Amino acid sequence: MTILPNLILKSRDTSLIELSNIHFSKSNKDILSQLLKEFKYINILGEYQLPVDNKILLYGHTGCGKTTTAKAIAHKLDKEILILNLGEIISSKLGETAKNITSVFKKASRENSVLFLDEFDYIGKTRDYDTKDSGEMKRLVNTLIQQIDQLPNTTLLIAATNHSSIIDTALLRRFQLRLKFEKPNKNELDRYYDSLLLKFPKEFRSFERSYSISYAEARDITFRNVKNKIIEVEEAKELTTVY
């Protein structure tokens, strides 16, 4: 199973959202600020034999920006990002999966890149609920732990999960930093709606806003409503032209 060629996303991709444009809680902002400063001064810290915190777990509600954050961090650090979705690569041949994981870690280490492990809980889920290959799965988890422990200081590991409670504690202990992503409150969503609507003419900005949802859901609702208003205007123009 060859996966490496499809993993690389250039950190300079123009479709990426800047880290400063992502909505974070104050605690998450503080953690990220410290992370970026440590990598900026990584050589100076190394002279004092101080390692940077290079393993970070993003966990919490789906659709609240974990993947976007990982890409934005890589962009901010001017590094390539290798994206590995554990839910997609784990196959019936777990030995082959372990080799693929090892290959990705080695590539990330060679290139001092950002390694992003999405659906990090998938290993925990599989081990907890599928006893068919429990021995093989334990070896796969051990391989992952070994690769994390051997990761060089200059390589940043980011893992994302919607279900941190089911992940093995031995894996969780490897992460020095943890960012919790929660559903935004009403004020946070209003600011987000406003930021999305700024680029559109005023006549397209008015619609009934939804709350108690994720940022991703709010974005979809916003764009859907704007598109409908644009289409309504264009259809009205066509009717005027016909008659």
Side-chain angles (χ1 to χ4, degrees):
M1 179 167 63
T2 303
I3 57 175
L4 289 177
N6 299 321
L7 288 175
I8 298 177
L9 171 70
K10 297 292 184 180
S11 63
R12 299 177 184 83
D13 192 325
T14 56
S15 66
L16 295 174
I17 298 175
E18 293 288 343
L19 201 59
S20 59
N21 293 329
I22 302 176
H23 299 259
F24 294 112
S25 65
K26 184 182 183 303
S27 61
N28 284 355
K29 282 182 180 178
D30 292 342
I31 291 173
L32 287 174
S33 176
Q34 177 69 19
L35 172 74
L36 295 173
K37 287 177 181 177
E38 289 190 15
F39 268 87
K40 180 178 180 180
Y41 298 105
I42 188 171
N43 293 329
I44 296 173
L45 293 174
E47 292 176 8
Y48 291 91
Q49 298 183 333
L50 289 170
V52 299
D53 289 336
N54 67 330
K55 303 174 189 73
I56 181 170
L57 179 70
L58 313 181
Y59 69 100
H61 197 275
T62 183
C64 288
K66 293 186 289 295
T67 300
T68 300
T69 297
K71 293 177 181 179
I73 291 172
H75 181 65
K76 186 70 175 180
L77 294 175
D78 196 27
K79 290 176 176 284
E80 283 188 348
I81 181 169
L82 306 183
I83 301 174
L84 184 63
N85 188 312
L86 292 179
E88 292 180 356
I89 74 155
I90 292 179
S91 68
S92 57
K93 299 179 179 179
L94 294 179
E96 188 174 284
T97 301
K99 290 179 182 178
N100 281 328
I101 289 176
T102 300
S103 297
V104 175
F105 268 84
K106 287 182 178 179
K107 180 175 178 62
S109 299
R110 286 195 307 270
E111 299 177 359
N112 291 328
S113 59
V114 174
L115 175 55
F116 177 48
L117 302 181
D118 201 4
E119 293 193 38
F120 193 63
D121 55 278
Y122 198 85
I123 284 182
K125 283 182 180 179
T126 307
R127 187 172 61 172
D128 286 344
Y129 302 119
D130 183 4
T131 59
K132 181 180 177 181
D133 297 304
S134 58
E136 282 293 320
M137 181 54 67
K138 287 179 181 178
R139 281 189 283 275
L140 176 57
V141 172
N142 288 336
T143 295
L144 183 56
I145 289 174
Q146 183 181 43
Q147 293 304 316
I148 292 175
D149 288 344
Q150 293 176 352
L151 202 66
N153 199 42
T154 51
T155 300
L156 175 62
L157 173 65
I158 304 175
T161 175
N162 299 332
H163 309 284
S164 60
S165 61
I166 66 172
I167 297 175
D168 186 89
T169 54
L171 283 170
L172 290 177
R173 283 199 303 269
R174 266 61 192 180
F175 294 88
Q176 307 108 329
L177 305 174
R178 301 181 188 185
L179 269 65
K180 185 176 183 179
F181 287 73
E182 300 178 286
K183 280 185 178 181
N185 59 37
K186 184 178 184 299
N187 290 335
E188 290 169 336
L189 275 173
D190 275 330
R191 287 196 294 270
Y192 185 60
Y193 278 125
D194 291 341
S195 68
L196 291 174
L197 292 167
L198 276 176
K199 65 180 179 180
F200 301 109
K202 289 183 179 180
E203 60 267 29
F204 300 139
R205 299 180 190 177
S206 177
F207 60 88
E208 185 176 349
R209 297 181 175 187
S210 297
Y211 299 97
S212 296
I213 58 176
S214 69
Y215 286 119
E217 290 169 316
R219 183 188 61 240
D220 291 342
I221 289 171
T222 299
F223 290 162
R224 190 179 307 118
N225 278 278
V226 171
K227 286 187 289 187
N228 286 339
K229 287 183 179 294
I230 293 172
I231 291 170
E232 286 175 5
V233 170
E234 293 304 310
E235 287 178 337
K237 287 180 182 178
E238 292 176 359
L239 288 173
T240 302
T241 302
V242 171
Y243 295 104

